[in-house]
Amino acid sequence: MNDTYYEFGTPADRWDRAQLFFEAKEYLTAARILGGLVQEVPEQVAPRLLLARAYYHSARLAKAETELREVLERDPVEDYARLMLGRTLERQGRHTEAATHLRMAQAMTEDLGPELPAREPQSEG
């Protein structure tokens, strides 16, 4: 496949094409299309987040981490990016650093889970 295929069409066409490749689990092809799209519209979070996911699923973890950190730089409350960064760091064996991001993602989604006990009212006295 030649490179012009990845650059063909409008940004919306390329976004649609990248999503199709991603859904077909053709992560490297999706990443190739998304890489150009992210360079063209760096302010948009969605293409960068899908690029990070494509990198994650193709085990290109350092690249996934870079993209996720960029997403969080632009949108610090993007809870899915925070969760993905935690999972990416876990896969790299960086469990302590991952735990911080996973706790933040959990707090952002208000999913406190069963591991956190309910807070009991304190008696005044």
Side-chain angles (χ1 to χ4, degrees):
M1 215 178 278
N2 70 34
D3 289 340
T4 59
Y5 174 77
Y6 300 103
E7 300 167 3
F8 179 76
T10 66
D13 293 336
R14 286 178 281 144
W15 170 247
D16 290 341
R17 189 176 314 120
Q19 287 180 305
L20 289 173
F21 277 107
F22 185 88
E23 290 168 9
K25 298 183 179 177
E26 294 287 335
Y27 302 119
L28 294 176
T29 303
R32 197 161 176 191
I33 295 167
L34 289 162
L37 192 56
V38 164
Q39 287 180 349
E40 189 174 330
V41 287
E43 70 282 356
Q44 292 188 5
V45 171
R48 193 176 297 274
L49 188 56
L50 189 59
L51 176 58
R53 292 177 63 203
Y55 285 149
Y56 177 86
H57 287 297
S58 60
R60 297 165 81 185
L61 300 178
K63 288 186 174 206
E65 179 184 351
T66 298
E67 294 303 328
L68 290 164
R69 289 189 186 281
E70 185 63 35
V71 167
L72 291 169
E73 174 100 8
R74 295 172 186 280
D75 187 359
V77 295
E78 171 55 61
D79 59 329
Y80 189 71
R82 189 73 61 186
L83 174 66
M84 284 281 309
L85 180 55
R87 296 287 182 237
T88 300
L89 294 169
E90 278 183 333
R91 281 184 69 185
Q92 294 178 65
R94 295 161 58 189
H95 300 286
T96 303
E97 191 177 354
T100 301
H101 294 285
L102 294 173
R103 279 193 306 273
M104 288 175 71
Q106 185 179 31
M108 287 177 182
T109 59
E110 299 180 348
D111 179 15
L112 298 180
E115 68 277 358
L116 297 176
R119 196 170 173 180
E120 295 183 27
Q122 296 182 1
S123 61
E124 295 187 29

